[in-house]
Amino acid sequence: MAVFSIENLFEAIRLNKLEMVATILKEYPSWVNVHDHRGSTPLILSAYYNHREMVTLLLSNNVDVNGRDASGNTALMGVCFKGYEDIARILIEAGAQINAVNSNGASALVYAVTFNQIGLVRLLLKNNADKTITDTKGNTPVMLARMQGLEDIAVLLDS
């Protein structure tokens, strides 16, 4: 029986060592939802690094698809910031809460707009993202799009 630490789990995720993560989770299944020293969960970190197979592995191990980091961000919010549409689809299909908000009132849609991820804006809208959610400064997604001169996104949000 190998002895692993939580740090081993997160390092294996960063390095995309799928077999090692599978081995660790087999031995320590409760670690699937543990937090690292920065507050990230295995799923948030896997999604952030665009490790599709790792995300799939975690989802097959009863991970909390809506787990949050120290700032209240979910994996879906992270991929909307980074622009990973494929992983966003996987997370949505797995039950990710489209309209969850973090400690700043930002939703996945707010991140997709803020970082000019038009494909993700379309995907989120197709999956019933709430266009009326405001961040802590009172900005809606369409307001954020207009502030940045992202007229294509503003038009999508207005339709």
Side-chain angles (χ1 to χ4, degrees):
M1 179 163 146
V3 177
F4 296 104
S5 68
I6 291 171
E7 290 78 21
N8 295 138
L9 172 65
F10 283 99
E11 184 65 15
I13 290 169
R14 280 185 202 84
L15 298 174
N16 202 22
K17 293 187 174 190
L18 195 64
E19 288 181 29
M20 180 176 272
V21 170
T23 299
I24 293 171
L25 291 178
K26 186 174 182 181
E27 200 163 319
Y28 303 98
S30 66
W31 287 3
V32 73
N33 290 309
V34 72
H35 290 84
D36 70 5
H37 65 280
R38 292 183 179 159
S40 291
T41 67
L43 183 61
I44 290 170
L45 196 63
S46 298
Y48 183 84
Y49 281 110
N50 199 25
H51 295 325
R52 179 190 168 130
E53 294 81 15
M54 192 74 68
V55 167
T56 302
L57 171 70
L58 293 167
L59 289 169
S60 72
N61 278 276
N62 299 315
V63 73
D64 179 2
V65 71
N66 295 302
R68 295 172 179 265
D69 68 12
S71 298
N73 294 306
T74 64
L76 182 60
M77 290 175 195
V79 297
C80 288
F81 161 83
K82 299 289 279 185
Y84 304 142
E85 289 180 52
D86 193 34
I87 292 182
R89 271 188 211 86
I90 292 167
L91 294 171
I92 291 167
E93 288 171 12
Q97 294 174 352
I98 301 286
N99 296 312
V101 295
N102 67 12
S103 58
N104 292 319
S107 64
L109 184 59
V110 165
Y111 278 116
V113 169
T114 301
F115 293 94
N116 195 18
Q117 305 291 350
I118 195 164
L120 280 161
V121 170
R122 285 188 184 105
L123 176 66
L124 293 168
L125 291 174
K126 179 180 162 192
N127 285 279
N128 302 312
D130 185 346
K131 301 184 279 187
T132 65
I133 291 175
T134 59
D135 64 18
T136 55
K137 295 179 182 174
N139 297 311
T140 63
V142 72
M143 292 166 71
L144 292 166
R146 290 221 163 87
M147 281 188 255
Q148 295 181 80
L150 304 174
E151 201 52 39
D152 289 348
I153 290 178
V155 168
L156 275 176
L157 294 166
D158 273 338
S159 61

